[in-house]
């Protein structure tokens, strides 16, 4: 039963519950009109303590397309937060006004704290360099729709694997599916944190490899998940400037890739994917963004118990 629950970590829901959300998302994709009043009278609050366009708009568009309404902020300095209000108090108040909350926060664990004080479901829309479970639902739905499966895949994850929360959540979620191989492509300074290797990859006996160059592995991949170097999480600008262009995927590098490999990116891209491959049939990042809206419609409908 998903009604009334929060989504903080990608493992909060069972595989079956995720299937249930995907099944509803698929129905919505087939016939969106049928769901345009499913959340009539409901209110989503978007509490964004950190910049976002895609994720916030995607949540807001999802609620509007279900017939609900949206309140919220994307600039905490314009709210009582700037007067020193705690997350616990903010969420207690928002619980009185809204039916569901999507929260993004620069501090790891903030949405979890919020969920402990909330009367309504809280969705983690990204907490610091930690987790981003709705991006993971987006990524999994995209892979299952386009590749037709979530197992027996070789998945390359490339870029900022240290600070990239979408990668952390995706690795966690993929660890539950059979026989996937994960290839981690990053410079030494941006490798996946040790806790992910020990507690997720090793513990679940996931086959993985760490490499530095895309060119060395691209021919073996079914999915290439590109990420942006997370500028806002660097302690000094010099390191960022040195690392920001570590990987630029272009036509040349794609020459060796499989014909049916798919390229994903949570977006925004900076320059890690060259514009000249946007029209390549393997480039699926814009489709992925659209799946993200549909999966958020399904998720919110389930957590509010309206579908
Ligand atoms: C990602 C994020 O916020 O972690 N963006 C998103 O939600 N679509 C990736 C990123 O910012 O690089």
């Amino acid at each position: 039963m998903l009604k009334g629950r929060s989504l903080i970590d990608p493992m909060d829901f069972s595989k079956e519950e995720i299937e249930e959300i995907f099944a509803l998302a698929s129905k919505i994709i087939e016939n969106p009109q049928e769901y345009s009043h499913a959340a009539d009278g409901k209110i989503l609050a978007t509490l964004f303590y950190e910049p976002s366009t895609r994720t916030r708009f995607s949540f807001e568009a999802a609620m509007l397309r279900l017939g609900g309404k949206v309140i919220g902020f994307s600039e905490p300095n314009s709210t009582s937060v700037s007067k020193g209000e705690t997350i616990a108090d903010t969420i207690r108040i928002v619980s009185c006004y809204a039916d569901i909350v999507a929260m993004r926060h620069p501090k790891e664990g903030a949405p979890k704290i919020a969920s402990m004080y909330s009367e309504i479901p809280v969705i983690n829309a990204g907490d610091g360099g930690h987790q981003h479970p709705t991006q993971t639902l987006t990524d999994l739905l995209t892979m299952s729709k386009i590749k037709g499966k979530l197992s027996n895949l070789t998945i390359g994850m490339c870029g900022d694997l240290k600070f990239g929360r979408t990668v952390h959540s995706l690795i966690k979620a993929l660890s539950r599916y059979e026989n996937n191989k994960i290839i981690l492509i990053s410079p030494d300074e941006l490798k996946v944190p040790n806790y992910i290797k020990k507690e997720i990859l090793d513990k679940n006996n996931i086959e993985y490899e760490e490499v530095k160059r895309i060119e060395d592995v691209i021919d073996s991949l079914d999915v290439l998940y590109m990420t942006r170097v997370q500028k806002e999480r660097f302690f000094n600008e010099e390191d960022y400037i040195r690392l920001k262009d570590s990987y630029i995927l272009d036509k040349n590098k794609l020459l060796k890739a499989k014909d049916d490999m798919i390229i994903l990116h949570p977006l925004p891209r900076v320059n890690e994917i060259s514009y000249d491959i946007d029209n390549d049939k393997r480039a699926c990042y814009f489709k992925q963004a659209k799946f993200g809206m549909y999966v958020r419609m399904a998720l919110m409908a389930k957590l509010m118990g309206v579908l």
Side-chain angles (χ1 to χ4, degrees):
M1 178 79 156
L2 288 162
K3 184 176 176 192
R5 307 239 312 258
S6 288
L7 173 60
I8 305 300
D9 184 277
M11 304 301 253
D12 284 351
F13 298 162
S14 66
K15 264 167 90 173
E16 293 70 29
E17 286 163 338
I18 289 179
E19 275 311 313
E20 190 184 326
I21 294 168
F22 288 176
L24 177 57
S26 298
K27 286 197 202 158
I28 299 175
I29 291 168
E30 272 162 37
N31 195 355
Q33 214 44 44
E34 202 176 299
Y35 299 89
S36 61
H37 291 289
D40 274 357
K42 299 288 185 193
I43 296 179
L44 161 71
T46 51
L47 311 184
F48 276 60
Y49 295 77
E50 202 187 64
S52 163
T53 32
R54 205 153 346 262
T55 305
R56 186 167 58 86
F57 284 175
S58 160
F59 270 107
E60 295 186 357
M63 190 50 145
L64 296 172
R65 283 176 185 271
L66 287 170
K69 294 194 163 58
V70 179
I71 56 172
F73 59 78
S74 53
E75 200 24 91
N77 293 336
S78 66
T79 69
S80 288
V81 171
S82 66
K83 299 180 190 162
E85 187 174 59
T86 61
I87 286 188
D89 278 4
T90 304
I91 203 78
R92 281 187 179 115
I93 300 304
V94 171
S95 293
C96 304
Y97 305 152
D99 300 284
I100 191 162
V101 168
M103 176 188 270
R104 168 168 289 193
H105 203 287
K107 284 211 184 95
E108 311 196 342
K112 168 98 192 148
I113 306 268
S115 71
M116 287 157 57
Y117 291 91
S118 180
E119 302 286 326
I120 56 178
V122 175
I123 302 172
N124 177 5
D127 61 329
H130 193 216
Q131 301 289 338
H132 194 348
T134 61
Q135 182 63 48
T136 299
L137 291 178
T138 303
D139 303 338
L140 295 180
L141 179 65
T142 309
M143 285 188 217
S144 78
K145 285 277 177 207
I146 304 177
K147 299 300 296 178
K149 57 184 181 180
L150 291 172
S151 46
N152 300 308
L153 293 169
T154 300
I155 301 150
M157 302 189 187
C158 176
D160 187 346
L161 310 185
K162 180 178 181 189
F163 297 114
R165 55 194 172 197
T166 63
V167 166
H168 303 163
S169 287
L170 185 56
I171 293 176
K172 245 182 165 178
L174 281 171
S175 71
R176 294 201 285 205
Y177 297 87
E178 310 268 290
N179 205 25
N180 287 318
K181 179 172 180 189
I182 298 186
I183 303 191
L184 303 165
I185 311 160
S186 75
D188 277 336
E189 294 92 330
L190 298 178
K191 278 184 169 175
V192 151
N194 274 330
Y195 85 90
I196 303 243
K197 286 187 230 167
K198 280 208 191 102
E199 284 164 36
I200 300 161
L201 293 167
D202 292 341
K203 231 186 205 160
N204 294 293
N205 281 321
I206 310 291
E207 193 182 343
Y208 76 95
E209 205 182 311
E210 289 183 290
V211 301
K212 292 204 185 82
R213 284 161 41 94
I214 302 190
E215 297 87 319
D216 295 345
V217 291
I218 197 162
D219 59 342
S220 68
L221 304 179
D222 301 304
V223 177
L224 173 56
Y225 192 89
M226 296 294 296
T227 64
R228 169 182 74 90
V229 176
Q230 306 279 299
K231 182 179 184 190
E232 65 278 31
R233 316 224 184 273
F234 276 71
F235 296 111
N236 73 67
E237 178 127 14
E238 267 164 50
D239 285 351
Y240 171 70
I241 290 171
R242 186 166 50 80
L243 293 167
K244 75 179 173 49
D245 293 330
S246 299
Y247 300 102
I248 299 177
L249 184 65
D250 56 18
K251 272 197 170 139
N252 233 352
K253 290 203 180 94
L254 267 187
L255 285 174
K256 279 171 46 190
K258 289 185 193 168
D259 198 44
D260 64 348
M261 183 188 82
I262 60 170
I263 306 162
L264 302 182
H265 192 307
L267 303 176
R269 91 172 121 183
V270 184
N271 53 1
E272 54 282 349
I273 297 183
S274 159
Y275 291 93
D276 69 7
I277 64 168
D278 287 355
N279 291 326
D280 190 292
K281 72 173 172 45
R282 290 166 286 195
C284 294
Y285 27 93
F286 296 121
K287 272 189 209 155
Q288 183 186 1
K290 194 152 188 186
F291 282 127
M293 181 187 70
Y294 289 121
V295 88
R296 288 180 175 101
M297 287 173 79
L299 171 68
M300 288 194 287
K302 286 285 177 195
L303 300 186
M304 292 188 297
V306 297
L307 286 172

